[in-house]
C-alpha cells in the first residue's frame, strides 16, 4: 500500500514512478493499492481500478477508465477545464454538484453520499465485485527471478545519484510546504542557542 507517495515530487517524476510500479506489478502479477492527492490525468490513466470513498462509504469501485461514463449516466458531467481526477473526487461534494449536474437530471441524480452508495450498489460494477467474491480469488503469481530483478533495476530505476538527488529535492520541498513546523523548529533552535549562550555570557 502506497500512501500519498508522490508528495513533494514534480509531475514528470511522479508519472515515471507510477509507470515503473505498473510495469513491475503487471510482470509480477501482483496488486498495489495507492492513495494520491490531485494526480494528473496522465497518472490517473495508469491505474486499472478506482476506489472512491466518501465518509467511509463506497460510491464507486471499478475500472478507472469507465468512472467518467458511470457518473455521466447518473447525471453529472465533467467541465472541459476540469481534470478527470478532480471531477471524480468532487462529484459527491454538495458544493460542486451545481456546476457538474446536467440539465434534466435535477430530480433523479444522487445528491447525498447515501444516494451515491445506493446507486453504486445497483450498478453492474457492484454486481461484478459480488460475482468475483463469490467465485473466490485465484492467484497465478509468478516469482520474479534474480535476472528479472536485475533488469528492472537497470532499466526502470534511476541511478543511485539520481535517486539521491530526487529524494533530497523531495525532502526539501516537504520542509518548505510544512512551514509551521519549519518556523517552529527554527524558533526552537534560536531560543536554545540564546539560553545556552547566556550560560557562558560574561
Amino acid at each position: 500500500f502506497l500512501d500519498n507517495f508522490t508528495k513533494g515530487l514534480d509531475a514528470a517524476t511522479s508519472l515515471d514512478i507510477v509507470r515503473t510500479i505498473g510495469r513491475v506489478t503487471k510482470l509480477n502479477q501482483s496488486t498495489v493499492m495507492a492513495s494520491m492527492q490531485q494526480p494528473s490525468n496522465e497518472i490517473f490513466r495508469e491505474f486499472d481500478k478506482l476506489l472512491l470513498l466518501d465518509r467511509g462509504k463506497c460510491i464507486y469501485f471499478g475500472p478507472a477508465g469507465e468512472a467518467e461514463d458511470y457518473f455521466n449516466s447518473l447525471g453529472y458531467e465533467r467541465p472541459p477545464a476540469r481534470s478527470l481526477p478532480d471531477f471524480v473526487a468532487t462529484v459527491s461534494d454538495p458544493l460542486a454538484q451545481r456546476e457538474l449536474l446536467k440539465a434534466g437530471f435535477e430530480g433523479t441524480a444522487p445528491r447525498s453520499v447515501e444516494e451515491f452508495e445506493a446507486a453504486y450498489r445497483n450498478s453492474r460494477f457492484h454486481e461484478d465485485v459480488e460475482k468475483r467474491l463469490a467465485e473466490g480469488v485465484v492467484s497465478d503469481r509468478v516469482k520474479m527471478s534474480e535476472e528479472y530483478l536485475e533488469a528492472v533495476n537497470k532499466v526502470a530505476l534511476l541511478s543511485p545519484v539520481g535517486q539521491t538527488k530526487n529524494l533530497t529535492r523531495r525532502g526539501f520541498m516537504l520542509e518548505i510546504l510544512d512551514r509551521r513546523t519549519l518556523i517552529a523548529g527554527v524558533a526552537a533552535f534560536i531560543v536554545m542557542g540564546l539560553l545556552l549562550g547566556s550560560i557562558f555570557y560574561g
Side-chain angles (χ1 to χ4, degrees):
F1 181 76
L2 304 175
D3 183 18
N4 201 18
F5 62 100
T6 58
K7 184 177 180 180
L9 298 177
D10 59 81
T13 302
S14 299
L15 179 60
D16 183 58
I17 291 174
V18 170
R19 284 176 173 171
T20 299
I21 293 172
R23 288 195 294 267
V24 172
T25 54
K26 284 181 173 63
L27 290 171
N28 192 36
Q29 298 186 19
S30 58
T31 300
V32 172
M33 297 179 64
S35 64
M36 300 181 66
Q37 290 183 350
Q38 298 178 328
S40 64
N41 285 324
E42 290 76 14
I43 291 177
F44 183 86
R45 295 190 186 100
E46 294 296 321
F47 287 91
D48 300 315
K49 298 281 187 177
L50 171 66
L51 171 63
L52 280 178
L53 299 174
D54 193 339
R55 301 178 189 175
K57 299 182 183 296
C58 179
I59 63 174
Y60 180 81
F61 178 56
E66 298 184 38
E68 184 174 7
D69 291 338
Y70 169 74
F71 287 111
N72 282 342
S73 68
L74 296 182
Y76 293 96
E77 187 173 28
R78 178 173 65 92
R82 179 168 293 193
S83 68
L84 179 54
D86 184 55
F87 168 67
V88 298
T90 59
V91 69
S92 61
D93 184 357
L95 298 178
Q97 289 176 357
R98 183 178 300 179
E99 178 189 4
L100 305 177
L101 187 63
K102 294 194 296 186
F105 286 84
E106 293 82 1
T108 59
R111 300 297 183 95
S112 66
V113 175
E114 290 73 19
E115 290 175 347
F116 273 99
E117 181 188 29
Y120 168 70
R121 288 186 175 275
N122 291 326
S123 69
R124 62 180 177 86
F125 300 107
H126 184 262
E127 291 180 3
D128 182 61
V129 171
E130 292 290 328
K131 180 180 178 181
R132 288 177 177 271
L133 289 175
E135 293 175 350
V137 179
V138 179
S139 176
D140 296 325
R141 182 175 180 178
V142 178
K143 185 177 180 180
M144 290 189 292
S145 64
E146 293 295 330
E147 293 79 9
Y148 170 74
L149 290 174
E150 185 178 352
V152 169
N153 288 329
K154 287 183 178 179
V155 178
L157 302 180
L158 293 172
S159 66
V161 175
Q163 293 180 44
T164 302
K165 188 183 298 182
N166 276 338
L167 290 174
T168 302
R169 183 169 63 245
R170 181 186 184 191
F172 179 76
M173 291 298 298
L174 291 176
E175 290 291 338
I176 295 298
L177 292 173
D178 192 3
R179 293 184 178 180
R180 291 183 178 179
T181 303
L182 180 61
I183 293 173
V186 172
F189 283 123
I190 292 174
V191 171
M192 289 177 61
L194 292 174
L195 290 175
L196 292 174
S198 66
I199 296 175
F200 302 97
Y201 180 74

